Amino acid sequence: MTSNEKIDWSNLTFSYMKTDYNVRCTFKDGKWGEIEVCEDENITLHMAASCLHYGQEIFEGLKAFRGVDGKVRLFRPRDNAKRLRDSAMGIKMEPVPEDLFMKMATMVIKLNERFVPPYESGSSLYLRPLEIGITPRVGVNPATEYTFIIFVTPVGPYFKDGFKPTKVAIYREFDRAAPLGTGRWKVGGNYACGMAATAKAKANGFSAALFLDPKEKKYLDECGPANFFAIKGNKYITPKSGSILPSITNMSLQTLAADLGMEVECRPIPVEELAEVDEAAECGTAAVCTPLSEIFDEGANHTYVLTTDGKPGPMVTKLYNALRDIQYGRAEDKHNWNTIIEFDK
Ligand code: PLP
Ligand code: COI
């Protein structure tokens, strides 16, 4: 985008828009080098780079919000930095130190300040950190050289209808991850694994696939690129599983639910229990907190109907608002989740 073009901030979708700069750092000879500021959106790779052949690629997703007071807040970046390190260790990549992650995240926001959406738009700046193994490898071994990049793009809602109930489907013919595999880490390959199920869901009029646990196919796992939770009486229930990504949004909603006096249960949730829940939603940085209206279980040929009036339920709405209020600086950040970005005057 040139400086003269106008962005329709209130109607952004979750898609890539070119911004001014990205930041990069390479691990070589046993150490991280200098941070590079790049305008180029392309990367040059050796054709045998380990990320291309053996899937040594991990990423993160986090958002910066321009608040009601004009300040820019980055939501829980240290948790993303920690999860990126966990992912790296999970597939034998070089962990990015927290300080480097924070420095680069702050830098890339400052460099692209004009792309942080205005408060009134309800949009945000999405940060996409990614790490790739770049060492040429034909034998299956971890790389010894890595590149860590953060780019940003302004985004609107992940699902086109925003905070409106959406339908999802359960298909038993697909797994997203193995029971002791990479599902708990943010590895690019997990998303490749989920694409066939998502494509089938979309072709059948659903917005996402809700995966079951890959071992017994009995319990709810997670929902496309987001965690699942439900409201059952005064309880916030969410799956406990070794094959789902520990969502920072879900952790935050659990805390907010407890703040609202709810009981929080993190445990295996059998599919049939969907018949007993009052509300359900999927949650994540991109999905935020998206209510579910229907869950179709293809194997049982049964649809669990959660809402019929097209409106989000009261507790999911309360939690959504509590989270948004903190992210946009409308409520006290009593858990210290936000990092305020200080711009040089
Ligand atoms: N599950 C998967 C598979 C995801 O890709 C994401 C998105 O990051 C989430 C859950 C939600 O995690 P978070 O709330 O940290 O964004
Ligand atoms: C996020 O919510 O940040 C994600 O990474 C989901 C993305 C795969 C669309």
Side-chain angles (χ1 to χ4, degrees):
M1 195 196 78
T2 67
S3 51
N4 301 329
E5 285 172 57
K6 280 242 179 319
I7 299 178
D8 183 4
W9 297 110
S10 302
N11 290 303
L12 291 174
T13 55
F14 193 84
S15 47
Y16 179 78
M17 178 191 292
K18 181 180 176 354
T19 54
D20 290 336
Y21 301 101
N22 59 83
V23 290
R24 307 176 184 194
C25 189
T26 292
F27 182 89
K28 210 174 162 185
D29 301 326
K31 59 180 190 305
W32 289 98
E34 295 295 316
I35 299 170
E36 287 173 72
V37 175
C38 299
E39 288 181 52
D40 194 348
E41 296 164 280
N42 300 295
I43 47 180
T44 302
L45 282 178
H46 192 286
M47 62 189 171
S50 77
C51 62
L52 297 178
H53 299 261
Y54 303 130
Q56 278 203 303
E57 189 274 345
I58 55 178
F59 69 100
E60 272 304 324
L62 63 166
K63 282 177 174 168
F65 302 83
R66 194 178 295 278
V68 63
D69 52 3
K71 291 184 181 162
V72 175
R73 294 169 171 81
L74 184 59
F75 189 66
R76 303 191 71 162
R78 291 180 197 279
D79 293 280
N80 292 91
K82 158 92 174 54
R83 193 171 63 188
L84 188 75
R85 291 199 301 281
D86 291 344
S87 299
M89 290 186 281
I91 61 165
K92 298 285 170 208
M93 293 173 66
E94 181 64 31
V96 174
E98 182 184 280
D99 284 0
L100 180 62
F101 184 102
M102 291 299 292
K103 199 168 170 189
M104 288 173 65
T106 307
M107 201 179 214
V108 77
I109 297 170
K110 288 187 184 184
L111 287 164
N112 292 288
E113 186 187 356
R114 73 188 182 102
F115 292 97
V116 183
Y119 167 68
E120 302 73 33
S121 65
S123 299
S124 55
L125 186 73
Y126 185 70
L127 275 71
R128 175 52 68 85
L130 69 146
E131 185 183 355
I132 50 177
I134 58 169
T135 312
R137 284 273 182 263
V138 178
V140 184
N141 287 306
T144 47
E145 292 152 332
Y146 293 90
T147 294
F148 176 55
I149 303 172
I150 309 184
F151 68 79
V152 296
T153 191
V155 294
Y158 186 72
F159 294 108
K160 68 175 173 24
D161 293 330
F163 187 59
K164 293 247 180 69
T166 186
K167 300 192 298 182
V168 298
I170 298 171
Y171 301 121
R172 284 174 173 70
E173 79 217 67
F174 304 104
D175 286 325
R176 178 190 155 269
L180 296 173
T182 57
R184 62 204 134 140
W185 303 311
K186 210 159 164 62
V187 170
N190 296 341
Y191 298 79
C193 222
M195 279 192 194
T198 308
K200 180 169 173 177
K202 289 193 172 162
N204 288 296
F206 301 97
S207 61
L210 174 54
F211 293 95
L212 297 185
D213 80 277
K215 202 168 177 187
E216 296 182 72
K217 299 272 195 199
K218 224 173 128 179
Y219 302 102
L220 301 172
D221 234 18
E222 66 181 332
C223 201
N227 274 187
F228 171 90
F229 73 89
I231 307 293
K232 192 175 172 187
N234 193 38
K235 285 184 187 157
Y236 177 108
I237 60 171
T238 191
K240 186 181 173 78
S241 160
S243 50
I244 67 178
L245 189 76
S247 154
I248 295 159
T249 313
N250 192 358
M251 279 185 335
S252 311
L253 293 171
Q254 288 175 40
T255 304
L256 295 172
D259 288 351
L260 290 171
M262 300 181 79
E263 221 178 292
V264 176
E265 277 181 6
C266 188
R267 59 166 168 84
I269 303 176
V271 188
E272 298 73 28
E273 198 175 332
L274 286 172
E276 298 161 26
V277 306
D278 301 310
E279 299 175 49
E282 55 186 300
C283 62
T285 299
V288 191
C289 177
T290 303
L292 302 179
S293 53
E294 288 180 18
I295 301 173
F296 171 60
D297 180 349
E298 186 192 52
N301 192 23
H302 180 73
T303 298
Y304 297 92
V305 179
L306 298 155
T307 57
T308 48
D309 60 2
K311 293 196 187 118
M315 287 319 294
V316 168
T317 305
K318 233 180 202 174
L319 289 165
Y320 172 87
N321 287 335
L323 180 68
R324 291 318 239 181
D325 284 350
I326 292 175
Q327 293 174 329
Y328 283 103
R330 294 187 291 257
E332 187 200 345
D333 179 19
K334 63 179 184 185
H335 301 288
N336 273 323
W337 287 335
N338 293 318
T339 293
I340 298 194
I341 308 297
E342 307 286 351
F343 292 91
D344 314 321
K345 290 283 166 278

